Amino acid sequence: MMSVNTKALHSDIPYHGIYRGYIYSDSELIYPKVADIKLLQETQLENFFKVTEDSKNNLRFEYDLSATDNEENELEDESDNEKLITQAKKSFRQTGMKIFKQSKRKQSPEVVIVTGLDLYKNKPDFITKLIHNRVDYSTSHKGYGVYIRYLQEFLPNLQEFNNDLKWGKLFIIREAMMAFPNAKYFWYLDESSIILQKNIDLRKHVLKAESLEPIILRDQPISLNNGVIKTYKRNKAEDVEFIISQDSEKLNSDSFIVRNTPTSKGLIEFWMNSLFRRYINFNNDDTKALTHILQWHPILLSKTAIVPNRSILSLHYDKHDYQHGDFVVNIKGCEERGNCYKLLKDYWKIFQGEKENISFN
C-alpha cells in the first residue's frame, strides 16, 4: 500500500516538518505501521528523543535530528533488545518523514483526513480499528487521502509551555499540509471520533456551497457563555475557509475542516502560536484559544462557518445529539465509564453495515 523512496532520506532539500529529509510516497494513505503499534507501546518514550532534566528533575524531550543519519548504520553486534529499540525508533519517525509525491499517474487527493493518535492511551486493536476506519472511508470515495500521526511525536513542542497533548492536533494539521501541498481540504478528526456512514461523501455533505449554505449558523454566539460577539449574518458559503461545529457548551475542535488557502494556513499558525499556548487559561484547552481568536479577529471570523454539531460530529453521550444515521460519532467520555472498546466495536459494526443502531450506556 505504501511505496517510498528511501534515497530521499538524505536529501539536501530543506527539512520537512520536524524531521531531517523526507520520504516520497506514491500512496495517498500515510499512517503509522499497524504491525509496530505493540512494539512502540512497549518502548519507553525516552528512546524516541534526546532527554534532559530540568531544575525540578522533570524529563524534557528534544528532537534528535541527527538520528536520521544513523538509521542505516545499525551495529551488527546489537543485542536483540537494542535491535527492537532501533526498529521502534525508525517506525516512530518514518510516518512523519513521508510526503505525497504527485505525478501524472497519481494526482493529489482533494480531501485529506487527519488524525492524531495518543500512542499510550488505547490498546493496539483499538488504534488499528481507528486507522482502518479512516482508510476504509477514504478508499470508498475517489479523491481522499489519510494522514495519521502520533501526538507524542510533538512532545518537545508541547512541553515548551506545558501544553495538553490535544494541542498536538495543530502541529499535525500543519504537517499534513506540507505532506499534501496540493490537497484542497484537510479534515481533522479526533481519535475519539468514528466515521459511521461510508456512503456519505464529505464534499457533497458540507463542502459544496449549496450543502454548506443552509446549515451555517449565522448570528450565532461564538461563546455560548458570552453571547456578545456573534457570527456574521451575511457571510457566503463560497467564502468559507474554516468549518467547525459547536456543541451545547462551546466550539468543538474534535472535528473541523480547513481549506488549503493562505488565510486558513494563517489561522492554524496563529492558533498554535506561542502567544496562546503559553497563556495559562489556554495551555490546556485549544478551543478557548480558538474562541478568543474568532471573537477578536473579524477577518478570520468572516472566513469561518460554525455548523450544527451533528453535521460533522455527533456526541454519543448527549441523547439529544447523536441519532441513528449520523455521519460521525464522538465517544469522548467513555474513559470514565470504562466502555471505550465496547463502543468502538459496536460503532464499527454500524460502519461495516453489520448493525443498524446502538443503545446508549
Side-chain angles (χ1 to χ4, degrees):
M1 186 175 293
M2 184 70 67
S3 174
V4 299
N5 176 8
T6 55
K7 292 181 180 180
L9 279 169
H10 304 289
S11 170
D12 292 329
I13 293 177
Y15 291 177
H16 159 62
I18 60 176
Y19 298 116
R20 180 176 179 179
Y22 59 90
I23 304 173
Y24 275 134
S25 170
D26 62 5
S27 173
E28 65 276 17
L29 307 172
I30 297 178
Y31 56 89
K33 189 175 180 181
V34 170
D36 287 344
I37 295 174
K38 188 173 185 293
L39 172 63
L40 290 175
Q41 290 183 335
E42 293 173 347
T43 303
Q44 291 184 344
L45 197 56
E46 295 90 308
N47 289 298
F48 300 132
F49 303 99
K50 287 183 177 179
V51 182
T52 59
E53 289 188 2
D54 61 20
S55 58
K56 297 181 180 179
N57 297 322
N58 295 314
L59 294 182
R60 309 299 293 183
F61 300 115
E62 300 175 7
Y63 292 116
D64 185 4
L65 297 177
S66 65
T68 305
D69 293 327
N70 300 321
E71 280 186 341
E72 297 174 359
N73 300 322
E74 298 178 30
L75 299 175
E76 292 183 1
D77 59 350
E78 279 187 335
S79 67
D80 290 342
N81 184 59
E82 288 172 332
K83 289 180 180 178
L84 286 175
I85 291 176
T86 298
Q87 180 185 340
K89 286 180 178 180
K90 288 182 181 180
S91 182
F92 187 74
R93 285 193 300 270
Q94 283 191 348
T95 303
M97 298 172 68
K98 291 172 183 174
I99 60 174
F100 176 76
K101 186 176 182 180
Q102 183 170 314
S103 64
K104 292 181 179 179
R105 185 182 65 85
K106 196 81 168 182
Q107 293 299 304
S108 172
E110 185 177 2
V111 181
V112 178
I113 301 174
V114 184
T115 294
L117 296 173
D118 185 337
L119 175 59
Y120 301 106
K121 182 179 178 181
N122 295 299
K123 294 181 178 179
D125 190 39
F126 189 101
I127 295 175
T128 300
K129 274 188 165 56
L130 285 178
I131 292 174
H132 283 301
N133 178 251
R134 277 62 165 161
V135 170
D136 290 355
Y137 174 82
S138 296
T139 54
S140 297
H141 303 276
K142 186 177 180 180
Y144 279 80
V146 167
Y147 191 80
I148 300 175
R149 298 278 294 276
Y150 291 121
L151 292 165
Q152 279 77 10
E153 292 181 62
F154 303 92
L155 276 176
N157 303 94
L158 300 175
Q159 279 190 328
E160 185 178 6
F161 304 114
N162 296 316
N163 295 135
D164 188 276
L165 200 59
K166 58 190 174 186
W167 272 96
K169 68 177 68 135
L170 301 178
F171 291 89
I172 295 175
I173 276 281
R174 184 171 66 175
E175 299 259 319
M177 289 179 165
M178 288 188 281
F180 293 91
N182 297 312
K184 292 182 179 180
Y185 299 94
F186 295 88
W187 177 22
Y188 186 84
L189 196 58
D190 183 82
E191 64 179 340
S192 60
S193 304
I194 307 159
I195 301 171
L196 297 179
Q197 306 300 330
K198 286 184 186 179
N199 62 313
I200 296 179
D201 188 328
L202 182 72
R203 292 166 294 193
K204 296 178 181 178
H205 185 56
V206 295
L207 297 183
K208 286 191 173 182
E210 56 267 33
S211 301
L212 180 60
E213 184 70 32
I215 64 172
I216 295 176
L217 299 177
R218 296 180 171 85
D219 200 29
Q220 174 78 1
I222 299 169
S223 173
L224 297 178
N225 294 324
N226 179 0
V228 176
I229 301 176
K230 301 179 181 180
T231 56
Y232 293 112
K233 297 179 181 179
R234 296 182 180 85
N235 64 327
K236 298 178 180 179
E238 54 263 32
D239 296 329
V240 170
E241 299 182 16
F242 181 68
I243 303 171
I244 191 167
S245 65
Q246 188 179 54
D247 57 34
S248 59
E249 298 180 354
K250 60 181 181 178
L251 296 176
N252 195 325
S253 63
D254 285 347
S255 177
F256 62 87
I257 302 161
V258 294
R259 285 176 62 183
N260 193 2
T261 66
T263 301
S264 61
K265 286 181 178 178
L267 170 59
I268 296 298
E269 292 289 341
F270 192 35
W271 188 2
M272 65 191 292
N273 189 275
S274 60
L275 175 69
F276 299 107
R277 292 193 295 116
R278 73 167 71 237
Y279 183 49
I280 192 169
N281 287 342
F282 296 162
N283 66 359
N284 287 320
D285 192 340
D286 59 285
T287 57
K288 288 183 178 179
L290 177 63
T291 300
H292 174 87
I293 290 170
L294 296 181
Q295 284 179 318
W296 298 108
H297 297 276
I299 292 178
L300 296 177
L301 178 60
S302 71
K303 299 293 184 180
T304 299
I306 296 178
V307 297
N309 216 49
R310 289 182 52 229
S311 57
I312 56 174
L313 192 74
S314 298
L315 304 179
H316 173 82
Y317 285 111
D318 184 341
K319 294 184 179 180
H320 301 290
D321 198 65
Y322 171 74
Q323 295 180 26
H324 173 57
D326 282 351
F327 181 29
V328 180
V329 69
N330 183 284
I331 61 172
K332 186 165 285 185
C334 63
E335 296 88 353
E336 292 82 0
R337 298 166 173 84
N339 63 344
C340 293
Y341 190 62
K342 178 183 183 302
L343 284 178
L344 177 64
K345 288 196 297 182
D346 285 344
Y347 279 123
W348 179 261
K349 291 178 181 178
I350 293 178
F351 177 66
Q352 297 288 7
E354 301 172 4
K355 189 173 183 178
E356 290 189 358
N357 206 350
I358 185 172
S359 59
F360 284 85
N361 51 56

